[in-house]
Amino acid sequence: MKNTIVVVVALFFITSLSFAQSVKLEGLITDSKATGLEMANVMAVNKATKAMDAYAITNDKGKFLLNLKPNTAYNIKISYLGMQNKELEITTTSENSIKNIALEEGGIELDGVEIVREMPVSIKGDTIVYNADSFKSGTERKLEDILKKLPGVEVNADGEIEVEGKRVTKLMVEGKDFFDGDTKLGVKNIPADAIDKIQVLRNYNEIGALKGVENNQDNIAMNIKLKSGKKNFWFGDMTAGIGVAHEESRYLINPKLFYYSPKYSINLITNFNNIGELPLTVQDYFKFTGGFRGMMQKGGSSFNVSSNDLGISLLRNNRAKEIETKFGATNFAYNVNKAWTLSGFGILSSSLTDLETSSQTNILQPNSSEIFSTENRQEITNQKSNLGLFKLSSSYKPSARFQFDYDVLTKLSKQDENNSLLRESIVNNNSKIENINTIKNQNPISVNQNLSLYFTQSDKNIFAFEMQHLFQEEDPFYNANLQSQPFSFAGYVAGQNRNNINQSRFVKTNKIDAKLDYYYMVTPKSNINVTLGNTYSHQNFNSSIFQILDNERVNNLTNNANTNDVTYNFNDTFLGLHYKILSGKFTFTPGVSLHSYNMTNEQLGTSNSQNFFRALPDLLAIYQIKKSETLTYNFSYTNNFTDINRLAEGFVFSNYNSLTKGNRFLENATVQEHSLRYFKYNMFNFENITAVASYSKRVDAIKTSAVFNGVNQTSSPFNSDFADETLSGTGSYGRSFLKNYKASLAASLNWSKFNNIQNNVLSTNESLTQNYTFKASTNYKIMPNLELGYNVVTNDYNNATFYTERPFAKLDYFFLRSFSFVAEYEFYHYYNNAKTVNNEYDFLSASLIYQKKGSKLEYKVSGTNLLNTTSLNDDSFTQFATRTSQYTVQPRYVIFSLKYNL
C-alpha cells in the first residue's frame, strides 16, 4: 500500500508540473453571426518543431481551451463542417490569453480531410475519428491496447467495447465486417501498427433505407481504417514461443495474416498453445449470433429457445488448472460487382481443460439466512470441447432504393466432461461422505437462416420484409455413478454396490419468425409504422432414464414418470402500430401490438391447448437536451413464454443430486419494464456521463417449487401469484485531463426479489449486488505510463454478504527506441461478513519486448502468474442456496517468443 501511495503522489506531481509549465489559450469559435459552433476542431502546431502541441474540440457554446508552451510561436488551425478552414499565427507569453475566432461559410471538403488527418480526435456529423498514432506510446501490439487509451472508450475483459457508455455492436475493417462484427476477435488480434484511424459511427443502421425511420440512438459501430502501406498487401505477424525452465513443455504458435483491397479481404487467425490463451471460449461460442438481429423485438412477445445443455463447467476469466487450445479462423469479403457482396467466416476451436475446485454450498431455510444443509465438494474435472462456427452472407444492393440480404449461420460442437467428486453432506450435524463420478457429453447443432428485403417505393413509402428460420438439434447425455441411491424411481433396482444412473435426451426445434414492416412518412419529421408478423415454433422433446446394474445389465425405467415424449407448437400472429414524431428537442414513438396466441403440447397420450388475445403497449421518448446530451425513457409490456423444456412432465436429471419435472399447464408471464437513461458527452474536455435506471415487474412468473431432503433436490415449475421485481442502476463518469490523463468512476447496483416454494413454504428471496470501479491513467509518448484502479464488489444474498476488493495497476514503458516493458498487477481480498471466509491472492504478469526500429523481428520474454498464485475464489447465489468456491489456476509460466512481422 505504501508503494501505491508513492506512485500516486508521483503521478500527482507530474500532473502539477505539466500544469505549471503551460499557459492557456482560450476563446470562442463562432460563425459570422457570432453564434458559437459546437464540435469545431482547433489545433496548435509548434512552428519550430512542426509538432502538434495541443488540440481541442469546442463545447456547445463554441468555447475551446489549449494548454500551450510559454514564449512559443504557433500556427492555430480551425475547421468546422460547412465552414471555411482558418489558420492564424500567435506567439504565447508567460501569461494566459483569450482569442475569439469567427469562421465564414463555404467550407471545402478536401481541406477538412487534411485537418482530420492531423487532429487526434475530430467530429464529422455522427462520426468520431481518432487518429491512432496520436495515442500510441510504442508498447501497443493489438487494437485493444490503443482503444484503452482513447477518451470515451472502454474495453472490458471479454473484449466488448463501450463508447460513450454504449456497447459497440459491430466492428469493421475498411468498411468490411470483421468476423461479422465480433469485437473480441478484433480487439485481440488486429495489429496496432496497421491502424491509421478508428472511426466511431453513432446512430448506426446498416440498412440505409431504415436510418431515418427507426430509432438508432443506441446503435454504435466501429470502423478501422488501415495505413496506406497495409492496403493491397498481406500484413500480419507470425509468433512462436517456448516455455523457459518448466517441468513440462510449454508452447505458443500464433500466426495471423490479413489482406485488404477494394475488391476483397481475407483474415486468417490461428493459435495453438498450452499456456491458457483462449481466443474463443465456450461462453463466446454460445452467445455468438453471427450478426443476426433481434428482428422481433418490437413485437411485444418473448419466446426464446433455451439451450438444453448439461451445465458443463465454465472457466473463470480463462483461468483453470490446465488449458490446451487449438484454434483457427478465417473471414472473407468479396465484392462480386458494385451491387453484390459475398462474405463469410469459419471458426474451428478445440480445447482440453482440467479444473480443480473446492466449494461449499449452503441450502437456506425458507425466508431465512439459517442453513438447512451444507454440501462440501472436492472436484476434479476434465473437459474436451470441439467447436465450429460457419457463416455465409450475401448482400445485393443495386440501388439506394432496394436491398436483398441472405445469411446462414451453422454452429457445431462436441463437448465431453468427466468429473470425479468427493462430497460431504451435512444435515442436522450429521455428516455423510461419498465418492461420485459423472460423465456429460453433448453434440448440439443449429442452423440459423436470415432473409431480408428492403424497398423504398418513394420518399413517403418504405417496405421491409424479414424472415428468420432456426433449426436446432440437441442430444445431451448424462451419467452419474454414486455410492448411495439418489432418488426413488419407479422400477429402480436397489441394493447395488454402485448406483449407475443414465439419461439420454433429444430435443429438436424448428422456429420461423417473419414480419413485414410498412413505413409511411407523414412529414419529414414523423412516420407511421405498421407491422404484420408471425412467430411459429415446433419442438419435440424425448428423454429416458436407465440404470446399469452391477452385472452390467441395463434396467430401462420405462414408467411415465421417468420418460418424456412431448410435442409443442407455439404460434403468435400480431399486428403492430407505431407512430414516430420529432417535435423540437423531443422524439416520441408510442406503439401497440395486437396478438393472437395459440399453444398446444401433446404428451402422455393427451393434448393441452391455450388460445387468447392480448394488446401490448410500448413507448419510447427521447429528449435531445443538446447535441451530445440526451434523456431517454423506454416502456414496454411483454408476454414471456417458455419453450418445451419446462413443459415436459417426466423427470429430467439436472445434476446427480437434482431432479426436475415440467408442468404442462404453465402459462405465460407478463413483464412490465421501465428504463430511464441519461447521457452526456462533452468533447471540450472529453467528459462522459452515463446514468441508467431500470425497473421490471414480472407477474405470473414461472418459478420453482423445490423439495430438499438435505442431500437431494426435486423441483418443478409453477406460475407464481406473487410478482418478481428487479431494480437496477448504473452510472459512470469519465474525462480526460490535458492530453495525457484519463480517469473514470463507475458504479452499478442491482436489487432483485424472487418468489419460490421451498419444502411447501412460500420463499421470498432478495439479493443486492454492488460494483464500484475507479481508474486513472496517463498517456505519455516518452515517459512511463501508469494505470491505477480500485474495484470492489459486494454480493448480499439474504444477509449472507461476500466482498471482493481488487486494487490493480498497469505499467507500460517504451524506452531506448527499441524496448517495451509492460507489467500488470491485481490484488484480491475475498471475504464474507461472517468472517468464515477470508482469502487474499494476487496476480502479476510482465513482458519485455525488443524490436529495433525498422526490423521485422521482435523478441519477447513474458511471464504470467509470476507470483505463482495457486487458486482463486468466487461466490454465487441461487434462490435457494449460497455457494463459495476456490479453484486451482495455472502456475507461473515464463515464455520466450519470436515474432516476425510481415
Side-chain angles (χ1 to χ4, degrees), residues 126 202-219 293-299 403 452-456 462-466 515-521 523-531 578-582 587-590 620-622 624 632 634:
D126 283 335
R202 300 176 293 182
N203 302 312
Y204 179 77
N205 194 322
E206 55 188 324
I207 310 302
L210 303 182
K211 185 173 178 63
V213 296
E214 291 193 332
N215 295 301
N216 310 303
Q217 71 282 351
D218 289 330
N219 294 350
R293 298 173 293 276
M295 54 176 285
M296 306 304 282
Q297 289 179 351
K298 290 193 302 182
Q403 184 170 338
S452 305
L453 284 166
Y454 307 96
F455 175 58
T456 303
I462 301 171
F463 296 87
F465 175 74
E466 296 175 293
K515 71 182 180 77
L516 174 65
D517 278 295
Y518 168 65
Y519 299 90
Y520 176 71
M521 302 299 297
T523 69
K525 293 187 176 183
S526 65
N527 69 75
I528 295 174
N529 171 214
V530 180
T531 304
H578 290 82
Y579 178 62
K580 177 183 176 182
I581 181 170
L582 283 73
T587 301
F588 296 99
T589 311
L620 175 66
I622 304 171
Q624 193 75 42
T632 303
N634 209 327

Side-chain angles (χ1 to χ4, degrees), residues 843-859:
F843 283 92
L844 174 65
S845 63
S847 63
L848 179 64
I849 300 172
Y850 172 75
Q851 183 177 20
K852 191 174 181 179
K853 187 175 181 179
S855 173
K856 292 182 176 295
L857 288 176
E858 174 187 287
Y859 304 88

